[in-house]
Amino acid sequence: GGASCLCFLVVGVMQPGSGDGQGQILQRFPEKDWEDNPFPQGIELFCQPSGWQLFTERNPPTFFVAVLTDINSERHYCACFTFWEAVESAQGEEEEESSSPIQPAQLFAPKSLVLVSRLDHADVFRNSLGLIYTIYVDGLSVSLENVIGNLLTCTIPITGGAQRTISLGAGDRQVIQTPINDSLPVSSCSVALLFQQLGITNVLYLFCAALTEHKILFLSSSYQRLTDACRALLALMFPLKYSFTYVPILPAQLLEVLSTPTPFIIGVHSIFQSETQELLDVVIADLDGGTVNVPECVHISLLPEPLLQQTREALSMVLDPELEVADLAFPPSTVSASSLKMQDKEIRAVFLRLFAQLLQGYRWCLHIIRIHPEPVIRFHKAAFLGQRGLTEDDFLTKVLEGMAFAGFVTERGAPYRSIDLFDELVAYEVKRMRAEEGNKQKILRHIKELAEKLYKNENPYPAVTMHKVQKPTEGCHLRLHQKPFPRLDEGTVQWIIDQATAKLQTAPPAVKAEKKCMVPSGPPIGMSAILERNGNALANSARRLEVVRNCISYVFENKMLEAKKLFPAVLRAMKGRAARHCLTQELNLHVQQNRAVLDHQQFDFVIRMMNCCLQDCTAMDEHGIAAALLPLVTAFCRKLSPGITQFAYSCVQEHVVWTNIQFWEAMFYCDVQNHIRALYLDNNEENHTDELDPLMVCFAKQNKPPSSLVLAPTLIR
């Protein structure tokens, strides 16, 4: 296991007796920060997010988990257990003298027991804080200092599907399980609850809004539901990670954060709903009312069709299994419904499949930039969108330009690392998903298989009934003469922490074994996925390519009359991407055969074809046509007079693509990469490179992990 780096606090009102007080930390254990774990600021605001108010009655204890982000962008989970204590009235003596018949109302002040941790184990925190409260409120003969000392020093297992039983020394027993793979989010039932609260269409709006970097605000009268909803939205975004402001419970004093210009996911208690009315660019989801309000000035780009409709249908199958049989004259007597925890994983499986379909073939568009001391991996967005036929798609374009996707490329771009469920899905299962399209039974079976894996990851061991944690006596919060929560003896708690720390230092360090391997690339994005699926289109396309090939052959064989006849058909064919690719390949073959010096007629023909080819290229050059022509326009030439040669590039300069600086950058990086490939591969390997992982070709000669290859400056021309 690893030390839990927990921090325990007692937080109370600074000046009880005066309306809205301030919270203050009364005691804190350990008193110094743990190493490399800075203590987050402003905890007292988060314990009572609506403000530290006094009440005229004793409320039952409450529990929720807030999330704070420290200066290093690390998340801290802040579990708050709050109960109410009677406030001693400051006017007591004066009232004795005036012997007023009116007794002042008894007031109660909130006090919070708080656990701060980098790990998110809400149930363990709830049980542990509940146990400390029970010992206090029921006067159990157990030392609070011992229990708190044991809690702060218990070792929570490192991920990898470990299980550990802990006891805080009060006759209690708790079992902690960690997920097998910590790259997969843990969602418990939160995703299923979010769909129950808001419905399919609303959650899809929020999902698309989060991915395209809009501001999202959740409202609820329950703090814990705010935290769960935010956690659920993040779980749906996997394998992308949210990197903007994330505050599931925003305290009243910090409401001005909602006016920030950057995207966010924030939760606010619904008593502050009126303060959110004037926010013009924020998508507001009311969890209690089940509504999502998108302001007029906000346009949310939705998933491209047919994915949007397929996702809706799949979610409908999971959430409403009775829909299928609703019209049957003799419906089955029972329709098997999944438990809430399992339904949660089935919904996540639908979104996992969605991302696999959205990002299929992404590894074929990763390029290595080798002009820095360490290789940098970048993603060729234009090529990816072009190959998918989605250059015009608003949603995917925004996602690929977003921060979350940039993080995805950094984290998952490397060719040698540990892999998870998403990597396997996007590499091996996309073909299966395409084959099963439209077959509801098969789609549901696949969803359930994935859900099973997600469930197993989160609950690696069969259900454990080993938990045993004492709960307080029913109604104990209403006791009239309850002593206030005692001041804890710092020395005792610190002594227990020191003992445990000393033990840990002699123990061998806990190392999590990471299995690394070559990341599978999956199939490249085939043209077949985009071309119409009917045979006619393919036959038509083949005829056009034949015309292009024949025309080029005639030009190079100097059969100009034949070439002229085919020329109008060739220009028409150039409207299609396949024909443009075909032209670049055919011309390239002639360059390789040293047939680049042309006579005047040939030169004119080739130039006209090149210009026709380039005029439909956008500045993005998403189909790589301009990139393929670039080496050719510097090869083809004609002799104008002795000693004067005109190259093709002088005649094709009027196209928009040449004005795009990103195009030239990409070409430069690509050129460097090709020279390195040539250096590391001999000729017979070069012929097989198509079968290799595109990122791995340059490492073929080296049998060590690729990151060790650093580019020598001499390789850059």
Side-chain angles (χ1 to χ4, degrees):
S4 50
C5 286
L6 289 168
C7 188
F8 175 78
L9 312 161
V10 181
V11 188
V13 179
M14 198 184 283
Q15 328 133 299
S18 62
D20 266 13
Q22 294 284 312
Q24 68 171 349
I25 296 174
L26 305 174
Q27 283 193 285
R28 169 188 164 181
F29 305 96
E31 291 176 348
K32 292 194 197 71
D33 287 3
W34 293 99
E35 275 177 63
D36 56 62
N37 194 12
F39 184 71
Q41 297 304 304
I43 287 231
E44 52 279 25
L45 293 179
F46 286 84
C47 299
Q48 285 294 305
S50 309
W52 287 84
Q53 296 145 350
L54 304 182
F55 286 82
T56 52
E57 58 200 47
R58 278 187 197 269
N59 294 322
T62 62
F63 174 86
F64 59 82
V65 180
V67 181
L68 286 75
T69 307
D70 67 21
I71 44 173
N72 304 333
S73 301
E74 294 281 358
R75 285 189 192 139
H76 295 257
Y77 298 91
C78 173
C80 301
F81 182 104
T82 304
F83 56 95
W84 276 260
E85 289 183 340
V87 176
E88 297 304 319
S89 172
Q91 307 147 340
E93 294 93 38
E94 300 161 29
E95 276 150 12
E96 294 278 317
E97 291 163 27
S98 63
S99 65
S100 155
I102 300 165
Q103 283 298 306
Q106 171 80 69
L107 293 174
F108 299 94
K111 185 168 276 184
S112 295
L113 308 177
V114 183
L115 268 180
V116 183
S117 167
R118 292 272 282 280
L119 303 170
D120 182 11
H121 288 288
D123 289 340
V124 177
F125 301 157
R126 184 195 296 264
N127 289 336
S128 305
L129 293 173
L131 181 65
I132 293 169
Y133 173 74
T134 304
I135 293 168
Y136 144 70
V137 80
D138 281 346
L140 304 185
S141 55
V142 177
S143 150
L144 279 172
E145 284 82 357
N146 269 351
V147 169
I148 290 161
N150 291 338
L151 173 60
L152 294 180
T153 54
C154 73
T155 48
I156 292 179
I158 286 180
T159 54
Q163 173 171 307
R164 166 153 301 166
T165 305
I166 62 164
S167 170
L168 306 182
D172 59 307
R173 198 173 49 233
Q174 292 189 65
V175 179
I176 301 180
Q177 288 190 21
T178 53
I180 295 170
N181 188 329
D182 61 346
S183 73
L184 298 173
V186 171
S187 59
S188 189
C189 304
S190 59
V191 172
L193 287 171
L194 183 64
F195 274 86
Q196 272 185 13
Q197 289 158 343
L198 295 177
I200 293 174
T201 303
N202 280 339
V203 178
L204 282 173
Y205 263 112
L206 288 182
F207 170 75
C208 293
L211 283 178
T212 52
E213 302 186 350
H214 286 286
K215 302 175 189 179
I216 295 173
L217 177 65
F218 285 105
L219 295 174
S220 174
S221 57
S222 153
Y223 291 124
Q224 192 50 44
R225 285 195 177 180
L226 290 174
T227 298
D228 287 343
C230 292
R231 174 201 286 189
L233 192 52
L234 261 51
L236 291 178
M237 289 172 71
F238 175 81
L240 303 185
K241 287 183 179 166
Y242 193 71
S243 54
F244 292 102
T245 306
Y246 176 72
V247 191
I249 300 173
L250 184 71
Q253 284 97 321
L254 302 179
L255 282 174
E256 71 270 12
V257 171
L258 296 173
S259 317
T260 174
T262 52
F264 58 68
I265 294 176
I266 287 178
V268 164
H269 194 286
S270 43
I271 53 173
F272 301 114
Q273 188 159 8
S274 55
E275 266 106 300
T276 64
Q277 298 300 310
E278 62 271 14
L279 299 170
L280 297 177
D281 59 347
V282 179
V283 178
I284 299 180
D286 179 357
L287 296 171
D288 308 346
T291 59
V292 168
N293 179 40
V294 182
E296 276 176 31
C297 64
V298 172
H299 167 69
I300 298 176
S301 309
L302 291 175
L303 290 163
E305 290 294 5
L307 280 179
L308 181 61
Q309 192 50 33
Q310 288 166 2
T311 305
R312 278 202 178 114
E313 284 170 8
L315 287 169
S316 179
M317 283 195 288
V318 166
L319 289 161
D320 188 4
E322 293 184 356
L323 182 64
E324 280 296 284
V325 296
D327 285 354
L328 296 184
F330 305 104
S333 50
T334 54
V335 175
S336 64
S338 305
S339 68
L340 200 61
K341 265 192 178 172
M342 202 64 206
Q343 194 184 64
D344 183 274
K345 306 301 167 276
E346 287 167 7
I347 296 168
R348 279 180 53 192
V350 171
F351 282 86
L352 203 51
R353 280 169 49 96
L354 167 65
F355 272 112
Q357 289 166 290
L358 267 180
L359 301 178
Q360 63 167 69
Y362 80 93
R363 298 200 71 77
W364 294 86
C365 296
L366 294 171
H367 289 192
I368 295 187
I369 300 177
R370 299 190 165 278
I371 60 169
H372 310 291
E374 282 285 311
V376 174
I377 294 172
R378 75 190 273 279
F379 185 74
H380 201 309
K381 297 185 195 96
F384 183 76
L385 289 167
Q387 287 165 350
R388 303 293 299 274
L390 289 169
T391 39
E392 301 296 309
D393 183 65
D394 222 13
F395 174 80
L396 200 52
T397 307
K398 282 179 182 167
V399 170
L400 297 184
E401 283 165 2
M403 289 270 286
F405 188 75
F408 172 88
V409 171
T410 308
E411 196 178 302
R412 291 181 182 258
Y416 185 80
R417 56 173 170 81
S418 49
I419 62 172
D420 61 21
L421 189 53
F422 173 75
D423 296 308
E424 291 166 12
L425 192 64
V426 80
Y428 304 127
E429 305 268 328
V430 173
K431 206 174 263 179
R432 169 184 173 177
M433 288 192 262
R434 201 173 293 147
E436 292 177 356
E437 246 173 57
N439 184 327
K440 288 188 174 179
Q441 267 59 45
K442 285 183 175 172
I443 291 172
L444 197 56
R445 189 179 313 137
H446 190 211
I447 289 170
K448 288 192 185 280
E449 281 170 28
L450 288 174
E452 201 59 56
K453 289 179 183 169
L454 288 168
Y455 184 82
K456 180 90 178 114
N457 183 65
E458 216 164 288
N459 309 280
Y461 294 89
V464 257
T465 49
M466 302 263 299
H467 286 297
K468 185 181 134 204
V469 183
Q470 266 197 289
K471 294 219 164 77
T473 322
E474 195 89 6
C476 61
H477 67 280
L478 298 169
R479 286 187 194 139
L480 289 177
H481 304 292
Q482 181 68 48
K483 288 205 284 280
F485 191 80
R487 186 163 183 85
L488 302 162
D489 178 14
E490 280 103 348
T492 312
V493 179
Q494 195 53 51
W495 183 80
I496 297 172
I497 292 173
D498 293 343
Q499 296 287 96
T501 313
K503 250 192 221 160
L504 268 178
Q505 276 162 352
T506 57
V511 182
K512 183 185 157 200
E514 273 202 302
K515 281 192 200 151
K516 291 190 173 180
C517 63
M518 299 306 309
V519 181
S521 278
I525 310 164
M527 298 286 286
S528 56
I530 296 100
L531 281 173
E532 296 82 359
R533 304 231 168 127
N534 58 27
N536 283 349
L538 288 169
N540 233 335
S541 168
R543 274 199 301 278
R544 281 185 195 142
L545 301 191
E546 200 51 42
V547 168
V548 173
R549 285 194 195 101
N550 290 343
C551 183
I552 293 171
S553 298
Y554 291 147
V555 168
F556 282 91
E557 289 163 12
N558 252 324
K559 297 181 178 170
M560 289 307 167
L561 214 62
E562 304 293 330
K564 254 187 192 141
K565 281 183 198 161
L566 289 182
F567 204 63
V570 170
L571 296 186
R572 274 200 305 278
M574 286 297 156
K575 290 282 174 214
R577 184 191 346 174
R580 300 206 291 269
H581 271 296
C582 176
L583 174 76
T584 62
Q585 286 162 351
E586 291 293 313
L587 291 178
N588 191 34
L589 286 175
H590 290 288
V591 171
Q592 285 169 357
Q593 295 159 6
N594 285 333
R595 298 166 71 181
V597 183
L598 310 174
D599 68 26
H600 294 310
Q601 262 191 309
Q602 288 172 320
F603 188 79
D604 283 342
F605 263 105
V606 169
I607 291 296
R608 281 180 69 188
M609 284 195 267
M610 282 181 171
N611 273 324
C612 183
C613 201
L614 285 165
Q615 75 185 18
D616 287 324
C617 280
T618 65
M620 284 166 71
D621 187 35
E622 64 273 15
H623 305 311
I625 305 289
L629 281 175
L630 195 58
L632 305 178
V633 298
T634 53
F636 285 113
C637 60
R638 64 174 168 185
K639 295 263 188 289
L640 290 179
S641 60
I644 295 179
T645 304
Q646 181 185 20
F647 282 90
Y649 66 79
S650 61
C651 307
V652 294
Q653 293 181 0
E654 300 301 310
H655 299 284
V656 62
V657 64
W658 312 129
T659 62
N660 181 7
I661 192 74
Q662 278 94 355
F663 168 79
W664 293 107
E665 276 179 14
M667 289 309 301
F668 172 63
Y669 299 143
C670 209
D671 214 26
V672 173
Q673 178 71 349
N674 288 339
H675 282 94
I676 289 171
R677 282 170 68 159
L679 188 80
Y680 276 93
L681 293 178
D682 44 41
N683 288 339
N684 59 355
E685 277 178 299
E686 191 61 67
N687 299 335
H688 300 296
T689 53
D690 289 352
E691 300 156 28
L692 298 175
D693 181 311
L695 270 186
M696 288 311 303
V697 169
C698 40
F699 309 124
K701 275 290 209 244
Q702 297 190 312
N703 297 321
K704 51 183 186 254
S707 59
S708 59
L709 185 96
V710 177
L711 174 62
T714 50
L715 298 180
I716 302 174
R717 305 199 318 176

